[in-house]
Amino acid sequence: MIGQTILHYQILDKLGEGGMGVVYKARDTKLDRDVALKFLPHQLAASEADKARFVQEAKAAAALNHPNVCSIIDIQEHDAPGGGGKQMFIVMEFVDGQTLRELTAGQGPASGAAISLKQAIDIGIQVADGLAAAHEKGIVHRDIKPENIMIRRDGIAQIMDFGLAKLRASGSKITRLTKQGSTVGTAGYMSPEQVQGQDTDHRSDIFSYGVLLFELLTGQMPFKGVHETALAYEIVNVDPPPMSSIKPEIDPTLDAIVLECLEKDINERAQGIKQISVDLKRHKRESSRQRVSRVTAARPAINASRLSQVAEPVRSPWRQYIGYILSGLMAAALVILLWNTWNTTDSTARPTVRSSIALPPDAPLSGLGIAVSPDGRHLVYTAESGQLYLHRMDQSTSEPIPEAYGIVPAFSPDGQWIVYVDDNTISKVSLTGSAPEVLHAGQSLMPGLWWTPDNNVLFGTYSSGLAQVPVTGGTPTTVTALDSSAGEISHRFPQLLPDGKSVIYTVKTKDMASFDEALIVAQRSSDGERKVLVKGGFYGRYIPSGHLIYLRGNTIFAVQFDPERLEVSGSPVPIEQGGALDNGGTPCFGFSINGIAAFSPSSKFIDVNNNTIGWLDRTGVPHPLLDTLRNYLQAKLSPDGQKIAVDISSANDDIWVYDIPRSLLSRLTFGWGNNNFPLWSADGKYVIYAAENGNIANIYKKPWDGSGNEERLTVSSNPQGPGSITPDGRFLSFSENGDIWILPLDSPGAGKSGKPYPFIQTPAGEGGGRFSPDGKWMVYNSDESGKKEVYVVAFPKREGKQQISNAGGEWKIFSRDGKELFYGWGSSIFVVDVKPGITFDFSVPRKLCTIPPDVDIIDISPDGTQFLTTVNHSKQDPVTQLDVVTEWFEVVKSKFTTNKN
């Protein structure tokens, strides 16, 4: 079949052949990727009922999304050669590697193991994790063996062929152990109930897994009948020898784990493969002093009740012997533990370990928040793409959480769910892989959530303090109110205290210059009593050591705190350097209830007030203009090109005006929330901008020199952002809810505004509407094609819509004479020649120049010879690691003990 094309799969090579079919490597010509095709023997799906049963099973397996399971992509049929009728085949993920059988070829006591004990345990853990994911969805493999485990070149183990064993069983009339439909060695991996033709469930997989793990660790099979009948007898009646009798270096606890998988009685066997994975991981951590755990284990390697299940149904002297040894070791350990507890202080009970978590290079930390699960087993962070990633502390990899994008995530009390903010929605997602669910939408939300024990989510909004909403969704209820007399703009980062009645949160005020000036407040729900705990910090969190921790700049501080009296005492003490990536007021810090802390490294912190404003000529060469370092964001040139209205970001963004000839920078707006997206009126007398003023951002205007009062132009419960003004000053475009609106202005520059109306309103996301210099056209962005592109449409009739960009387009600017339209995509500037007239006649886009790194285009000079830019001088390499500290609460306490001494 090599060289043939079946449907849209081009057969490239034969990978293998066995009783369950022939596997080929193929090229998916539609999606341009390599896949594996498994052609099933005709006899395995002879009837339509068998086919339907198999398709149903394979669909269930295809729903699995786990790194240790080979994904099923599709199931198809084709006409078999020679008139053989329809033949089924499965399209699977192509795994570049070798089977576990191939990897361990030659393994044995005499020849020496092909893999190390550590490698064997790592593979065993991965296979257990893959099986656990399947069992959680009710899927049983039924044919676990080395031939069905692939080891990729990067060391990842993947389970193959879910569902095929059931197909084989349904296609065979023989219920007992036979050679029919099986490959060499399969018989040795069957469970006792499989051998006897009884009904099977997930515990049958656990037995087969125990056989596989026994062989992997010792190089020998636990059952050694010379023929299939003898092998079947041993599986049902003969206990396997302890692995340590074959390899003395194998620890007794590892023996106990495997022997529990190999129990004959299905009810005495390990009942869940997930627990086996946990036990193996714990054994791996505790067996090596050099590789200290990143998480603290609250239980011993195998708890006493599970050990008794292994030891009591003794059928051989060896197993009885091991049981006595383990019991003796546990008794001795208990005595030692009690003695140490009586004779040592808490601070020396367990060592503090500092280590790091490696994040994927292609998904570095964004600085928009991390969270550690209450039990310390999981960590979630926001990557630079905005997607949430899950990191299991006992593994070295991080995985994206499908469809979950948001900031400052938080865990549920049981550690099984994540809740997060994405734009103006609060969503939750399960760690087991369910799709995200929206709990609340429609308000302008602040960062920071808290999942309460009674299943509510605390959150903050721009306009009404803290609120809470049930985790099942519903109508929010008010928790706190803003104190406008104190200039409060928002409440954020809530945490419910242990009494379940008091909450601490961060307060942003109108006159803050940075988040280092924020307040941390505690408030009782019973009587509304409110106390300021910290002046000058954010992200306050109570920890069980009796301290309030918080961030200031790039330092984690702590102060002694009484959660019942809501009072702090003593002076704050710096605990760690790190916990934030910039001074924008977003934490990169989290901890578990058992004292595992994770935070961003201090070396990665950057000062965002490190931008300048400059020019970029048409060849891509930059030229300086304003060298004063600030966090400059959006900016616009005045109609005469002599002034720049610019948004300078801090805790509260404000509009400033830079007079170019005089080199003078003066402030135009003064706090009470963010003021941004500046725009000049057509006559150059006013600056128009979006202002929160303690509420939702609407549109205002003010004389550019500050000589008059601020005037409100729009009233809406939705955030708005101004875009452009027609040359005659009669119309203002602005963005709202992903649509473009028009606000009529009754006279140029000043005067009362009319009633706004939607101009471009579609299911797609549109924005950035800018008028052409003659006022007859509007250029804007839309993602209606699935990618952001640049479009133009006639104004005000909204006719003649045309797509300008052909491979993506973001910012866009008309030259002042209207003869050129510029837009950017990636690191390139493209230009389109425009011929003014009744129609919008334009040329094919051509690349003008390359934009240097860290440069953003914001406007164009009146003569069209250069672009106004912001230049970022902050150099931050991708953040691909987090600092981790165990027994962190003890670290905090020790800092105060040291200070007292």
Side-chain angles (χ1 to χ4, degrees):
M1 296 180 67
I2 296 175
Q4 296 182 21
T5 299
I6 297 175
L7 301 182
H8 54 88
Y9 301 105
Q10 182 182 7
I11 309 297
L12 302 178
D13 196 10
K14 183 176 179 180
L15 298 177
E17 183 174 4
M20 295 305 295
V22 185
V23 183
Y24 293 91
K25 180 181 178 181
R27 188 70 176 172
D28 184 341
T29 56
K30 274 189 177 180
L31 300 179
D32 196 28
R33 61 177 176 180
D34 290 336
V35 295
L37 305 184
K38 186 154 196 171
F39 292 83
L40 305 179
H42 296 287
Q43 69 271 18
L44 294 186
S47 70
E48 291 301 317
D50 289 339
K51 288 182 181 179
R53 187 182 298 111
F54 170 67
V55 169
Q56 182 179 5
E57 181 91 350
K59 282 182 178 179
L64 289 174
N65 181 17
H66 193 276
N68 300 123
V69 175
C70 179
S71 302
I72 293 178
I73 299 169
D74 200 2
I75 307 166
Q76 294 285 354
E77 283 187 328
H78 81 111
D79 293 322
K86 296 288 186 180
Q87 184 179 18
M88 296 181 67
F89 68 95
I90 306 169
V91 184
M92 300 180 295
E93 172 189 1
F94 172 71
V95 181
D96 187 13
Q98 58 186 154
T99 68
L100 185 55
R101 176 70 67 200
E102 294 168 338
L103 180 66
T104 57
Q107 180 176 348
S111 61
I115 60 174
S116 66
L117 182 64
K118 175 182 175 297
Q119 288 175 298
I121 293 174
D122 285 339
I123 292 171
I125 289 171
Q126 294 184 63
V127 175
D129 286 341
L131 273 178
H135 290 175
E136 285 176 1
K137 294 183 178 292
I139 302 170
V140 182
H141 191 284
R142 302 180 182 87
D143 196 18
I144 293 295
K145 58 184 179 181
E147 288 83 353
N148 282 339
I149 309 297
M150 288 290 293
I151 309 299
R152 299 188 335 197
R153 292 187 184 276
D154 59 2
I156 301 297
Q158 290 189 305
I159 307 172
M160 317 286 289
D161 287 355
F162 272 93
L164 293 186
K166 186 171 184 178
L167 176 66
R168 181 182 65 201
S170 65
S172 173
K173 296 181 180 180
I174 301 176
T175 58
R176 294 266 179 174
L177 183 64
T178 69
K179 291 183 179 179
Q180 182 175 342
S182 65
T183 56
V184 176
T186 300
Y189 300 91
M190 286 188 175
S191 65
E193 54 269 30
Q194 280 180 302
V195 169
Q196 297 174 89
Q198 300 171 355
D199 291 338
T200 61
D201 59 16
H202 67 282
R203 291 171 292 183
S204 180
D205 277 353
I206 293 176
F207 187 95
S208 301
Y209 170 82
V211 176
L212 181 142
L213 195 54
F214 189 108
E215 182 185 20
L216 190 59
L217 293 167
T218 67
Q220 295 185 16
M221 294 290 288
F223 311 106
K224 300 180 180 179
V226 293
H227 51 77
E228 290 182 356
T229 302
L231 192 55
Y233 177 85
E234 286 196 14
I235 289 173
V236 175
N237 299 288
V238 179
D239 289 327
M243 295 189 297
S244 54
S245 68
I246 301 171
K247 285 194 172 181
E249 66 267 29
I250 292 180
D251 190 277
T253 58
L254 194 57
D255 244 338
I257 294 171
V258 175
L259 291 175
E260 191 176 16
C261 295
L262 295 175
E263 284 287 355
K264 312 294 186 185
D265 189 331
I266 195 170
N267 294 313
E268 295 182 2
R269 191 178 306 155
Q271 299 296 294
I273 192 68
K274 190 171 185 178
Q275 184 59 49
I276 298 301
S277 173
V278 171
D279 292 343
L280 285 174
K281 291 168 185 175
R282 186 181 295 115
H283 169 79
K284 176 183 173 182
R285 293 194 301 267
E286 296 178 354
S287 65
S288 175
R289 295 181 180 178
Q290 287 75 33
R291 301 180 67 248
V292 181
S293 167
R294 291 193 182 106
V295 295
T296 57
R299 298 177 294 172
I302 306 272
N303 65 44
S305 62
R306 286 172 50 78
L307 280 174
S308 65
Q309 291 177 6
V310 176
E312 287 177 3
V314 174
R315 296 183 178 88
S316 74
W318 271 107
R319 294 184 67 179
Q320 187 174 9
Y321 180 67
I322 290 172
Y324 289 141
I325 290 176
L326 292 178
S327 298
L329 288 174
M330 287 187 64
L334 182 60
V335 170
I336 293 171
L337 176 62
L338 291 174
W339 178 261
N340 285 337
T341 302
W342 294 330
N343 289 277
T344 61
T345 63
D346 289 340
S347 62
T348 61
R350 286 186 295 242
T352 298
V353 178
R354 293 182 178 268
S355 58
S356 62
I357 292 175
L359 305 179
D362 59 347
L365 184 70
S366 67
L368 295 177
I370 66 174
V372 180
S373 63
D375 61 6
R377 295 176 182 273
H378 300 96
L379 179 142
V380 168
Y381 73 96
T382 303
E384 283 190 348
S385 64
Q387 185 160 26
L388 295 178
Y389 272 70
L390 173 65
H391 183 94
R392 291 176 170 84
M393 294 289 211
D394 55 4
Q395 296 184 11
S396 60
T397 58
S398 301
E399 304 167 4
I401 302 177
E403 304 178 46
Y405 293 81
I407 64 172
V408 197
F411 274 92
S412 60
D414 63 5
Q416 298 302 305
W417 291 81
I418 291 293
V419 64
Y420 57 93
V421 172
D422 181 16
D423 290 332
N424 292 325
T425 63
I426 299 174
S427 300
K428 68 176 181 179
V429 64
S430 170
L431 296 190
T432 59
S434 63
E437 305 172 36
V438 174
L439 305 184
H440 175 63
Q443 287 182 280
S444 193
L445 300 170
M446 303 306 304
L449 304 170
W450 186 265
W451 190 314
T452 67
D454 60 350
N455 286 324
N456 285 292
V457 175
L458 290 169
F459 64 95
T461 68
Y462 276 102
S463 57
S464 56
L466 295 180
Q468 66 179 8
V469 64
V471 296
T472 54
T475 303
T477 56
T478 300
V479 176
T480 68
L482 299 177
D483 183 355
S484 58
S485 64
E488 293 184 359
I489 294 173
S490 65
H491 297 165
R492 61 186 70 194
F493 305 129
Q495 181 196 22
L496 191 68
L497 290 175
D499 64 2
K501 300 177 182 179
S502 305
V503 63
I504 56 177
Y505 53 91
T506 300
V507 176
K508 179 183 177 184
T509 59
K510 67 181 180 66
D511 52 358
M512 282 169 45
S514 74
F515 273 92
D516 290 347
E517 300 176 6
L519 305 177
I520 298 175
V521 171
Q523 182 171 331
R524 298 188 199 275
S525 60
S526 57
D527 56 11
E529 179 187 14
R530 199 165 85 148
K531 295 183 178 181
V532 175
L533 305 178
V534 174
K535 294 181 179 180
F538 66 97
Y539 196 62
R541 287 293 183 263
Y542 169 72
I543 61 174
S545 61
H547 298 88
L548 177 74
I549 56 171
Y550 61 93
L551 287 167
R552 183 188 296 157
N554 190 35
T555 303
I556 302 171
F557 285 85
V559 64
Q560 292 177 323
F561 176 56
D562 185 336
E564 295 182 0
R565 301 175 63 184
L566 303 185
E567 293 179 356
V568 297
S569 60
S571 300
V573 174
I575 306 298
E576 304 284 355
Q577 291 299 306
L581 289 188
D582 56 48
N583 47 10
T586 305
C588 282
F589 169 63
F591 60 90
S592 67
I593 60 175
N594 56 359
I596 300 165
F599 45 90
S600 58
S602 60
S603 61
K604 296 297 183 179
F605 183 85
I606 62 169
D607 186 349
V608 295
N609 295 313
N610 205 16
N611 293 356
T612 58
I613 293 179
W615 295 107
L616 185 76
D617 65 28
R618 294 173 69 104
T619 65
V621 177
H623 304 278
L625 173 60
L626 177 57
D627 290 332
T628 305
L629 293 178
R630 297 286 188 93
N631 189 14
Y632 304 104
L633 296 179
Q634 304 90 5
K636 288 291 185 295
L637 280 163
S638 60
D640 61 6
Q642 298 300 297
K643 294 178 287 294
I644 302 170
V646 58
D647 164 14
I648 299 179
S649 178
S650 60
N652 292 298
D653 299 357
D654 277 301
I655 308 297
W656 296 62
V657 175
Y658 180 64
D659 188 320
I660 297 176
R662 296 180 176 85
S663 300
L664 180 64
L665 183 66
S666 58
R667 188 171 178 177
L668 180 63
T669 65
F670 294 85
W672 204 261
N674 293 317
N675 299 274
N676 40 35
F677 302 106
L679 178 69
W680 290 89
S681 62
D683 58 8
K685 295 181 179 179
Y686 294 85
V687 175
I688 297 171
Y689 51 92
E692 290 176 352
N693 284 341
N695 212 304
I696 302 300
N698 285 175
I699 300 175
Y700 293 74
K701 72 175 183 180
K702 191 174 184 179
W704 76 267
D705 58 1
S707 59
N709 294 325
E710 185 178 65
E711 179 184 343
R712 186 169 188 164
L713 300 181
T714 63
V715 177
S716 175
S717 59
N718 299 314
Q720 301 169 320
S724 179
I725 289 182
T726 53
D728 58 10
R730 295 179 56 201
F731 298 97
L732 166 71
S733 71
F734 65 92
S735 299
E736 179 176 346
N737 281 349
D739 301 315
I740 298 175
W741 289 63
I742 300 296
L743 176 67
L745 303 171
D746 68 352
S747 64
K752 296 181 179 179
S753 59
K755 183 178 180 180
Y757 61 89
F759 181 63
I760 301 177
Q761 192 173 41
T762 75
E766 288 94 10
R770 299 189 67 154
F771 294 109
S772 61
D774 60 7
K776 296 180 179 179
W777 306 94
M778 177 187 284
V779 62
Y780 66 97
N781 293 109
S782 175
D783 60 6
E784 63 181 46
S785 67
K787 179 191 294 185
K788 187 177 286 187
E789 299 281 3
V790 177
Y791 296 83
V792 70
V793 66
F795 181 81
K797 295 183 178 181
R798 202 172 56 193
E799 298 174 346
K801 170 186 165 184
Q802 299 181 77
Q803 182 173 331
I804 305 300
S805 59
N806 54 21
E810 296 180 306
W811 60 266
K812 60 277 171 207
I813 304 172
F814 275 106
S815 61
R816 296 290 178 96
D817 60 10
K819 295 182 180 180
E820 292 178 308
L821 173 61
F822 305 89
Y823 68 88
W825 183 250
S827 61
S828 298
I829 298 177
F830 294 89
V831 61
V832 172
D833 298 322
V834 179
K835 294 181 180 179
I838 298 176
T839 62
F840 193 82
D841 187 6
F842 63 98
S843 68
V844 175
R846 67 182 186 278
K847 182 176 178 178
L848 181 67
C849 65
T850 298
I851 306 172
D854 305 314
V855 170
D856 290 322
I857 307 297
I858 51 179
D859 208 344
I860 192 169
S861 62
D863 61 6
T865 61
Q866 52 189 352
F867 300 94
L868 188 67
T869 69
T870 57
V871 184
N872 183 1
H873 296 280
S874 301
K875 300 296 183 182
Q876 184 184 69
D877 296 328
V879 183
T880 56
Q881 74 174 42
L882 290 170
D883 291 341
V884 178
V885 183
T886 66
E887 302 300 323
W888 192 70
F889 300 157
E890 297 299 324
V891 172
V892 175
K893 287 195 294 186
S894 69
K895 296 282 186 176
F896 286 84
T897 302
T898 302
N899 281 1
K900 287 181 181 179
N901 295 335

